[in-house]
Amino acid sequence: TYIYSGVISSLEAIRAAWPDTLMAILTNKPVNPSRDICAHFGLSRFFFQNYGGNSFHTKKPDPHGLLTLINEASAIAGRTISPAQTIMVGDSHVDVLTARNAGAQSIGCTFGLAPQSLVTTPPDHLANTPTDWLTILGINR
């Protein structure tokens, strides 16, 4: 396991531009290894929550986990955050479908697990590098 080049600097740029933005992790990997990986690589500081494939009774692409995160983010923010105001970043068709099923937007990453699946299930936006997230989000570096 490793972090793709540009991930940390891009997350830092998002945090600097939008310090109140709430970000979370939703993976189909088991939750404890996911949390351990994030802690090991210093990623936990960016995310208010980290849920895994065993955190709920269903897994992605079922929208339950993403909708739960949206509700938790709304409670933390003290205002309603709608699915339409939410962007899910992922590296496969499963993430794109999860976003669609929840009514959220998607950014598909071609540098991840299954970029070929983004051809048959295209995301709203396509990122070839983590730095592309900033362009898609309208953040100037």
Side-chain angles (χ1 to χ4, degrees), residues 8 13 24-25 39 46 51 54 64 72 82-83 102-105 112 130-131 134:
I8 296 285
I25 293 176
F46 295 107
Y51 285 133
N54 58 341
H64 178 74
E72 289 180 11
S82 71
Q105 299 177 60
T131 306
L134 306 178

Side-chain angles (χ1 to χ4, degrees), residues 92-94 96-97 100 116-123:
S92 79
H93 71 289
V94 173
V96 174
L97 292 173
R100 281 187 196 160
Q116 69 283 358
S117 71
L118 299 174
V119 173
T120 56
T121 309

Side-chain angles (χ1 to χ4, degrees), residues 67-118:
L67 293 172
T68 298
L69 286 167
I70 293 168
N71 287 334
E72 289 180 11
S74 295
I76 292 167
R79 63 180 174 79
T80 300
I81 298 170
S82 71
Q85 296 171 299
T86 302
I87 300 174
M88 181 158 187
V89 178
D91 60 3
S92 79
H93 71 289
V94 173
D95 300 303
V96 174
L97 292 173
T98 304
R100 281 187 196 160
N101 291 340
Q105 299 177 60
S106 61
I107 297 175
C109 300
T110 62
F111 51 91
L113 175 70
Q116 69 283 358
S117 71
L118 299 174

Side-chain angles (χ1 to χ4, degrees), residues 4-40:
Y4 294 105
S5 178
V7 167
I8 296 285
S9 61
S10 295
L11 289 172
E12 288 173 340
I14 293 168
R15 179 65 63 227
W18 300 339
D20 296 329
T21 293
L22 295 164
M23 296 186 285
I25 293 176
L26 179 62
T27 179
N28 277 344
K29 294 172 183 66
V31 67
N32 289 331
S34 177
R35 289 177 177 170
D36 290 345
I37 290 166
C38 286
H40 175 78

